Amino acid sequence: MSPDFRPSEMIRPQRKLTGISAILLPFTEAGEVDWTALQAHILRTAETGLMPAVNMDTGFLNLIDEPTKLRVLEITREVLHGAPFCAGAYSADEPGAAWCADEYLRQMELIQQHGGMPVIFQSYGLTGQAPAEIVAAYEQLAASCDRFLAFELTEDLLPFGKTYDLETYAALLKIPQCVGAKHSSFRREPEWQRLKLRDELRPDFKVYTGNDLAIDMVMYGSDYLLGLSTFGPDYFARRDAYWLAGDARFYELNDWLQYLGMFAFRDPSPAYKHSAAQFLKLRGWIPCDNTCPGSPTRPDSDVPVLAEIMQKLDALIA
Ligand SMILES: N[C@@H](CC=O)C(=O)O
């Protein structure tokens, strides 16, 4: 395993990208989940060719209760009619908690029963362990399913997130059921290192960038599982088509999507979910831009900025 790499030599032109989109859970004026809008957004996302990922950070997985999680899975199964999707498996806990395999296994079973592929959402109990124990935890979960995705999340978004050391990542690559991993450190270098390691050890393994601040990581060999794509699965689908075709229009579309990402994921970054609601309301896709109770908000003064970006993006895909 070598940490040496030249990003310019890693560029993979005209590659078919796999896009997974972490779906925003929309809310009504009364602070309830807007199930109708959720259903429409899952369907809209799948119709663009992106795979929906529900019950992720963008779906407020650590804030919603069990019946809500379950209803999200039911609606996703109903609306997709067998089309593939991913969903976060998570064991809610507190700092200092012990690893709780049983709850993860239960969540994974539920996701699979609904036709989804589990994404192992981190928790204090998982990431608070020593590296060897973290690997053993993933191996334990792997025994219960055919396919799952691992997920490294930045602490900027959730306090129990963790970026593993490269040895731990290499051990994940050796778990056959772990078919990919979302990398959301929000830094390029560890993702380039993971791509290099992937190419050396297991070329079929998917590195999904979760870096909403560097969505061009797809140029270097990453696929993506982004929250930003929930703002505009249609924009992302077009960008990906341009990359596959070697069309120069990829770059300007990517630039404007990145401007949207930089704006929406600025400090405090967890408020990006409110930005997403503001943007989806501007698009006419949800009737209310309330975010999940308990989640941080953006000011109303963001809306004209988002509107300008939306107009530019709409023009670019017209
Ligand atoms: N969009 C992600 C968070 C950022 O990487 C998610 O929903 O999990």
Side-chain angles (χ1 to χ4, degrees):
M1 162 191 345
S2 161
D4 303 325
F5 54 86
R6 291 175 193 273
S8 59
E9 291 171 3
M10 296 172 72
I11 291 181
R12 297 195 191 179
Q14 294 190 248
R15 188 171 62 91
K16 181 161 176 53
L17 306 177
T18 299
I20 309 180
S21 192
I23 299 284
L24 180 76
L25 190 65
F27 284 80
T28 64
E29 296 286 356
E32 309 289 338
V33 173
D34 185 337
W35 297 110
T36 307
L38 173 68
Q39 194 167 355
H41 199 49
I42 293 169
L43 186 58
R44 175 183 299 121
T45 300
E47 283 176 348
T48 66
L50 273 61
M51 187 195 296
V54 295
N55 287 342
M56 298 287 288
D57 179 58
T58 313
F60 307 98
L61 180 54
N62 64 316
L63 294 179
I64 58 178
D65 60 16
E66 188 65 21
T68 306
K69 273 185 236 178
L70 190 56
R71 185 73 192 123
V72 169
L73 290 176
E74 287 167 356
I75 281 199
T76 308
R77 178 180 57 185
E78 283 162 24
V79 79
L80 290 179
H81 298 294
F85 74 93
C86 301
Y90 168 63
S91 173
D93 60 9
E94 301 291 334
W99 163 239
C100 182
D102 288 350
E103 180 56 12
Y104 272 98
L105 290 167
R106 194 179 71 79
Q107 298 282 336
M108 291 168 75
E109 180 59 28
L110 270 179
I111 293 165
Q112 291 176 101
Q113 280 169 3
H114 286 81
M117 174 166 65
V119 181
I120 309 304
F121 202 80
Q122 292 172 320
S123 60
Y124 288 107
L126 175 61
T127 60
Q129 303 178 100
E133 293 169 337
I134 290 175
V135 174
Y138 283 100
E139 287 170 345
Q140 187 180 12
L141 300 182
S144 78
C145 77
D146 296 336
R147 302 167 78 236
F148 72 90
L149 300 183
F151 182 4
E152 299 170 285
L153 183 60
T154 169
E155 281 179 66
D156 291 350
L157 285 182
L158 284 171
F160 46 77
K162 183 168 186 168
T163 301
Y164 303 134
D165 58 56
L166 265 190
E167 286 69 25
T168 302
Y169 197 83
L172 292 182
L173 288 171
K174 290 187 182 144
I175 301 175
Q177 297 92 333
C178 184
V179 295
K182 167 169 157 120
H183 182 76
S184 281
S185 67
F186 282 7
R187 291 186 297 125
R188 288 178 184 273
E189 184 150 346
E191 191 166 329
W192 278 321
Q193 289 172 339
R194 279 155 177 70
L195 287 167
K196 189 93 170 55
L197 200 59
R198 181 275 305 271
D199 292 348
E200 286 169 15
L201 300 181
R202 187 173 163 194
D204 67 318
F205 186 89
K206 296 265 190 198
V207 176
Y208 291 100
T209 189
N211 191 348
D212 302 274
L213 305 177
I215 59 170
D216 66 358
M217 287 302 296
V218 295
M219 293 169 56
Y220 303 92
S222 292
D223 290 279
Y224 64 91
L225 199 178
L226 290 170
L228 183 60
S229 53
T230 206
F231 292 60
D234 47 349
Y235 304 143
F236 273 82
R238 181 68 66 86
R239 180 201 69 152
D240 300 352
Y242 286 157
W243 184 251
L244 179 62
D247 189 317
R249 287 175 290 182
F250 168 88
Y251 296 94
E252 190 176 1
L253 185 47
N254 191 80
D255 289 344
W256 279 88
L257 284 171
Q258 193 57 79
Y259 174 27
L260 179 61
M262 287 293 182
F263 185 68
F265 283 78
R266 74 187 190 277
D267 190 42
S269 49
Y272 80 88
K273 288 158 281 193
H274 189 210
S275 304
Q278 290 176 323
F279 196 79
L280 293 189
K281 184 178 178 197
L282 282 170
R283 299 203 73 185
W285 287 352
I286 62 175
C288 169
D289 63 10
N290 278 357
T291 193
C292 182
S295 188
T297 56
R298 294 295 191 202
D300 290 345
S301 55
D302 275 19
V303 173
V305 180
L306 292 170
E308 186 192 330
I309 299 172
M310 182 188 75
Q311 283 159 16
K312 183 67 188 180
L313 286 164
D314 283 346
L316 285 171
I317 66 160

PDB file of all heavy atoms in Angstrom, residues 118-120 138 148-152 164 172 178-183 205:
ATOM      1  N   PRO A 118     -28.330  -2.332   2.879  1.00  0.00           N
ATOM      2  CA  PRO A 118     -27.976  -1.537   4.057  1.00  0.00           C
ATOM      3  C   PRO A 118     -26.696  -0.718   3.855  1.00  0.00           C
ATOM      4  O   PRO A 118     -25.736  -1.162   3.227  1.00  0.00           O
ATOM      5  CB  PRO A 118     -27.750  -2.589   5.148  1.00  0.00           C
ATOM      6  CG  PRO A 118     -28.358  -3.855   4.642  1.00  0.00           C
ATOM      7  CD  PRO A 118     -28.277  -3.787   3.146  1.00  0.00           C
ATOM      8  N   VAL A 119     -26.724   0.492   4.404  1.00  0.00           N
ATOM      9  CA  VAL A 119     -25.531   1.344   4.525  1.00  0.00           C
ATOM     10  C   VAL A 119     -25.280   1.444   6.030  1.00  0.00           C
ATOM     11  O   VAL A 119     -26.168   1.873   6.775  1.00  0.00           O
ATOM     12  CB  VAL A 119     -25.777   2.755   3.962  1.00  0.00           C
ATOM     13  CG1 VAL A 119     -24.519   3.597   4.087  1.00  0.00           C
ATOM     14  CG2 VAL A 119     -26.257   2.706   2.509  1.00  0.00           C
ATOM     15  N   ILE A 120     -24.096   1.032   6.461  1.00  0.00           N
ATOM     16  CA  ILE A 120     -23.828   1.018   7.911  1.00  0.00           C
ATOM     17  C   ILE A 120     -23.492   2.434   8.365  1.00  0.00           C
ATOM     18  O   ILE A 120     -22.390   2.934   8.150  1.00  0.00           O
ATOM     19  CB  ILE A 120     -22.670   0.045   8.261  1.00  0.00           C
ATOM     20  CG1 ILE A 120     -22.924  -1.337   7.638  1.00  0.00           C
ATOM     21  CG2 ILE A 120     -22.501  -0.045   9.778  1.00  0.00           C
ATOM     22  CD1 ILE A 120     -24.234  -1.977   8.013  1.00  0.00           C
ATOM     23  N   TYR A 138     -17.671  -4.869  11.588  1.00  0.00           N
ATOM     24  CA  TYR A 138     -18.159  -4.971  10.200  1.00  0.00           C
ATOM     25  C   TYR A 138     -18.216  -6.445   9.765  1.00  0.00           C
ATOM     26  O   TYR A 138     -19.143  -6.855   9.067  1.00  0.00           O
ATOM     27  CB  TYR A 138     -17.273  -4.168   9.247  1.00  0.00           C
ATOM     28  CG  TYR A 138     -17.507  -2.671   9.303  1.00  0.00           C
ATOM     29  CD1 TYR A 138     -16.667  -1.832  10.013  1.00  0.00           C
ATOM     30  CD2 TYR A 138     -18.583  -2.083   8.639  1.00  0.00           C
ATOM     31  CE1 TYR A 138     -16.874  -0.450  10.065  1.00  0.00           C
ATOM     32  CE2 TYR A 138     -18.809  -0.713   8.685  1.00  0.00           C
ATOM     33  CZ  TYR A 138     -17.946   0.105   9.399  1.00  0.00           C
ATOM     34  OH  TYR A 138     -18.166   1.454   9.449  1.00  0.00           O
ATOM     35  N   PHE A 148     -23.510  -4.957   1.528  1.00  0.00           N
ATOM     36  CA  PHE A 148     -23.774  -3.727   2.272  1.00  0.00           C
ATOM     37  C   PHE A 148     -22.710  -2.696   1.908  1.00  0.00           C
ATOM     38  O   PHE A 148     -21.672  -3.033   1.314  1.00  0.00           O
ATOM     39  CB  PHE A 148     -23.796  -3.977   3.797  1.00  0.00           C
ATOM     40  CG  PHE A 148     -22.443  -4.252   4.419  1.00  0.00           C
ATOM     41  CD1 PHE A 148     -21.646  -3.223   4.904  1.00  0.00           C
ATOM     42  CD2 PHE A 148     -21.971  -5.555   4.530  1.00  0.00           C
ATOM     43  CE1 PHE A 148     -20.398  -3.480   5.475  1.00  0.00           C
ATOM     44  CE2 PHE A 148     -20.733  -5.824   5.105  1.00  0.00           C
ATOM     45  CZ  PHE A 148     -19.950  -4.786   5.580  1.00  0.00           C
ATOM     46  N   LEU A 149     -22.976  -1.444   2.258  1.00  0.00           N
ATOM     47  CA  LEU A 149     -21.998  -0.373   2.078  1.00  0.00           C
ATOM     48  C   LEU A 149     -21.531   0.095   3.446  1.00  0.00           C
ATOM     49  O   LEU A 149     -22.340   0.224   4.376  1.00  0.00           O
ATOM     50  CB  LEU A 149     -22.601   0.834   1.338  1.00  0.00           C
ATOM     51  CG  LEU A 149     -23.153   0.591  -0.069  1.00  0.00           C
ATOM     52  CD1 LEU A 149     -23.650   1.910  -0.673  1.00  0.00           C
ATOM     53  CD2 LEU A 149     -22.093  -0.031  -0.980  1.00  0.00           C
ATOM     54  N   ALA A 150     -20.236   0.355   3.572  1.00  0.00           N
ATOM     55  CA  ALA A 150     -19.709   1.016   4.762  1.00  0.00           C
ATOM     56  C   ALA A 150     -19.813   2.528   4.536  1.00  0.00           C
ATOM     57  O   ALA A 150     -20.129   2.988   3.426  1.00  0.00           O
ATOM     58  CB  ALA A 150     -18.269   0.595   5.001  1.00  0.00           C
ATOM     59  N   PHE A 151     -19.553   3.280   5.575  1.00  0.00           N
ATOM     60  CA  PHE A 151     -19.764   4.732   5.496  1.00  0.00           C
ATOM     61  C   PHE A 151     -18.842   5.402   6.510  1.00  0.00           C
ATOM     62  O   PHE A 151     -18.917   5.120   7.704  1.00  0.00           O
ATOM     63  CB  PHE A 151     -21.248   5.007   5.829  1.00  0.00           C
ATOM     64  CG  PHE A 151     -21.704   6.443   5.754  1.00  0.00           C
ATOM     65  CD1 PHE A 151     -20.889   7.470   5.342  1.00  0.00           C
ATOM     66  CD2 PHE A 151     -23.009   6.760   6.105  1.00  0.00           C
ATOM     67  CE1 PHE A 151     -21.337   8.781   5.278  1.00  0.00           C
ATOM     68  CE2 PHE A 151     -23.481   8.066   6.049  1.00  0.00           C
ATOM     69  CZ  PHE A 151     -22.636   9.076   5.638  1.00  0.00           C
ATOM     70  N   GLU A 152     -17.958   6.259   6.033  1.00  0.00           N
ATOM     71  CA  GLU A 152     -17.145   7.096   6.927  1.00  0.00           C
ATOM     72  C   GLU A 152     -17.684   8.522   6.820  1.00  0.00           C
ATOM     73  O   GLU A 152     -17.744   9.079   5.722  1.00  0.00           O
ATOM     74  CB  GLU A 152     -15.686   7.101   6.495  1.00  0.00           C
ATOM     75  CG  GLU A 152     -15.003   5.750   6.513  1.00  0.00           C
ATOM     76  CD  GLU A 152     -13.644   5.835   5.836  1.00  0.00           C
ATOM     77  OE1 GLU A 152     -13.608   5.911   4.585  1.00  0.00           O
ATOM     78  OE2 GLU A 152     -12.630   5.855   6.532  1.00  0.00           O
ATOM     79  N   TYR A 164     -11.587   6.334   9.146  1.00  0.00           N
ATOM     80  CA  TYR A 164     -10.720   5.268   9.643  1.00  0.00           C
ATOM     81  C   TYR A 164      -9.296   5.433   9.121  1.00  0.00           C
ATOM     82  O   TYR A 164      -9.069   6.097   8.106  1.00  0.00           O
ATOM     83  CB  TYR A 164     -11.269   3.901   9.212  1.00  0.00           C
ATOM     84  CG  TYR A 164     -12.694   3.647   9.678  1.00  0.00           C
ATOM     85  CD1 TYR A 164     -13.659   3.123   8.817  1.00  0.00           C
ATOM     86  CD2 TYR A 164     -13.079   3.945  10.984  1.00  0.00           C
ATOM     87  CE1 TYR A 164     -14.963   2.895   9.243  1.00  0.00           C
ATOM     88  CE2 TYR A 164     -14.388   3.717  11.419  1.00  0.00           C
ATOM     89  CZ  TYR A 164     -15.318   3.206  10.551  1.00  0.00           C
ATOM     90  OH  TYR A 164     -16.602   2.991  10.979  1.00  0.00           O
ATOM     91  N   LEU A 172     -11.510  -3.483   5.522  1.00  0.00           N
ATOM     92  CA  LEU A 172     -12.895  -3.467   5.009  1.00  0.00           C
ATOM     93  C   LEU A 172     -12.936  -3.990   3.573  1.00  0.00           C
ATOM     94  O   LEU A 172     -13.881  -4.687   3.178  1.00  0.00           O
ATOM     95  CB  LEU A 172     -13.473  -2.053   5.043  1.00  0.00           C
ATOM     96  CG  LEU A 172     -13.742  -1.429   6.420  1.00  0.00           C
ATOM     97  CD1 LEU A 172     -14.359  -0.051   6.269  1.00  0.00           C
ATOM     98  CD2 LEU A 172     -14.654  -2.332   7.241  1.00  0.00           C
ATOM     99  N   CYS A 178     -18.958  -6.439   1.802  1.00  0.00           N
ATOM    100  CA  CYS A 178     -18.835  -4.970   1.796  1.00  0.00           C
ATOM    101  C   CYS A 178     -18.455  -4.571   0.366  1.00  0.00           C
ATOM    102  O   CYS A 178     -17.304  -4.686  -0.031  1.00  0.00           O
ATOM    103  CB  CYS A 178     -17.780  -4.530   2.804  1.00  0.00           C
ATOM    104  SG  CYS A 178     -17.640  -2.740   2.933  1.00  0.00           S
ATOM    105  N   VAL A 179     -19.455  -4.160  -0.412  1.00  0.00           N
ATOM    106  CA  VAL A 179     -19.226  -3.961  -1.850  1.00  0.00           C
ATOM    107  C   VAL A 179     -18.834  -2.524  -2.186  1.00  0.00           C
ATOM    108  O   VAL A 179     -18.526  -2.199  -3.328  1.00  0.00           O
ATOM    109  CB  VAL A 179     -20.467  -4.378  -2.681  1.00  0.00           C
ATOM    110  CG1 VAL A 179     -20.698  -5.877  -2.549  1.00  0.00           C
ATOM    111  CG2 VAL A 179     -21.708  -3.593  -2.268  1.00  0.00           C
ATOM    112  N   GLY A 180     -18.824  -1.673  -1.176  1.00  0.00           N
ATOM    113  CA  GLY A 180     -18.429  -0.290  -1.410  1.00  0.00           C
ATOM    114  C   GLY A 180     -18.477   0.478  -0.110  1.00  0.00           C
ATOM    115  O   GLY A 180     -18.915  -0.045   0.923  1.00  0.00           O
ATOM    116  N   ALA A 181     -18.004   1.717  -0.158  1.00  0.00           N
ATOM    117  CA  ALA A 181     -18.037   2.550   1.042  1.00  0.00           C
ATOM    118  C   ALA A 181     -18.135   4.004   0.649  1.00  0.00           C
ATOM    119  O   ALA A 181     -17.461   4.460  -0.273  1.00  0.00           O
ATOM    120  CB  ALA A 181     -16.784   2.323   1.890  1.00  0.00           C
ATOM    121  N   LYS A 182     -19.013   4.686   1.364  1.00  0.00           N
ATOM    122  CA  LYS A 182     -19.143   6.136   1.160  1.00  0.00           C
ATOM    123  C   LYS A 182     -18.087   6.825   2.010  1.00  0.00           C
ATOM    124  O   LYS A 182     -17.941   6.537   3.200  1.00  0.00           O
ATOM    125  CB  LYS A 182     -20.555   6.572   1.576  1.00  0.00           C
ATOM    126  CG  LYS A 182     -20.733   8.082   1.726  1.00  0.00           C
ATOM    127  CD  LYS A 182     -22.200   8.427   1.865  1.00  0.00           C
ATOM    128  CE  LYS A 182     -22.392   9.765   2.553  1.00  0.00           C
ATOM    129  NZ  LYS A 182     -23.079  10.779   1.784  1.00  0.00           N
ATOM    130  N   HIS A 183     -17.347   7.739   1.389  1.00  0.00           N
ATOM    131  CA  HIS A 183     -16.293   8.456   2.114  1.00  0.00           C
ATOM    132  C   HIS A 183     -16.655   9.931   2.226  1.00  0.00           C
ATOM    133  O   HIS A 183     -16.643  10.658   1.238  1.00  0.00           O
ATOM    134  CB  HIS A 183     -14.940   8.288   1.409  1.00  0.00           C
ATOM    135  CG  HIS A 183     -13.846   8.963   2.163  1.00  0.00           C
ATOM    136  ND1 HIS A 183     -13.305   8.426   3.313  1.00  0.00           N
ATOM    137  CD2 HIS A 183     -13.239  10.155   1.987  1.00  0.00           C
ATOM    138  CE1 HIS A 183     -12.399   9.247   3.792  1.00  0.00           C
ATOM    139  NE2 HIS A 183     -12.335  10.316   3.006  1.00  0.00           N
ATOM    140  N   PHE A 205     -14.499  -2.869  -6.021  1.00  0.00           N
ATOM    141  CA  PHE A 205     -15.060  -2.173  -4.849  1.00  0.00           C
ATOM    142  C   PHE A 205     -15.352  -0.720  -5.228  1.00  0.00           C
ATOM    143  O   PHE A 205     -14.535  -0.056  -5.869  1.00  0.00           O
ATOM    144  CB  PHE A 205     -14.022  -2.228  -3.720  1.00  0.00           C
ATOM    145  CG  PHE A 205     -14.482  -1.683  -2.398  1.00  0.00           C
ATOM    146  CD1 PHE A 205     -15.115  -2.501  -1.475  1.00  0.00           C
ATOM    147  CD2 PHE A 205     -14.248  -0.354  -2.057  1.00  0.00           C
ATOM    148  CE1 PHE A 205     -15.509  -2.007  -0.237  1.00  0.00           C
ATOM    149  CE2 PHE A 205     -14.640   0.148  -0.824  1.00  0.00           C
ATOM    150  CZ  PHE A 205     -15.265  -0.684   0.085  1.00  0.00           C
TER     151      PHE A 205
END
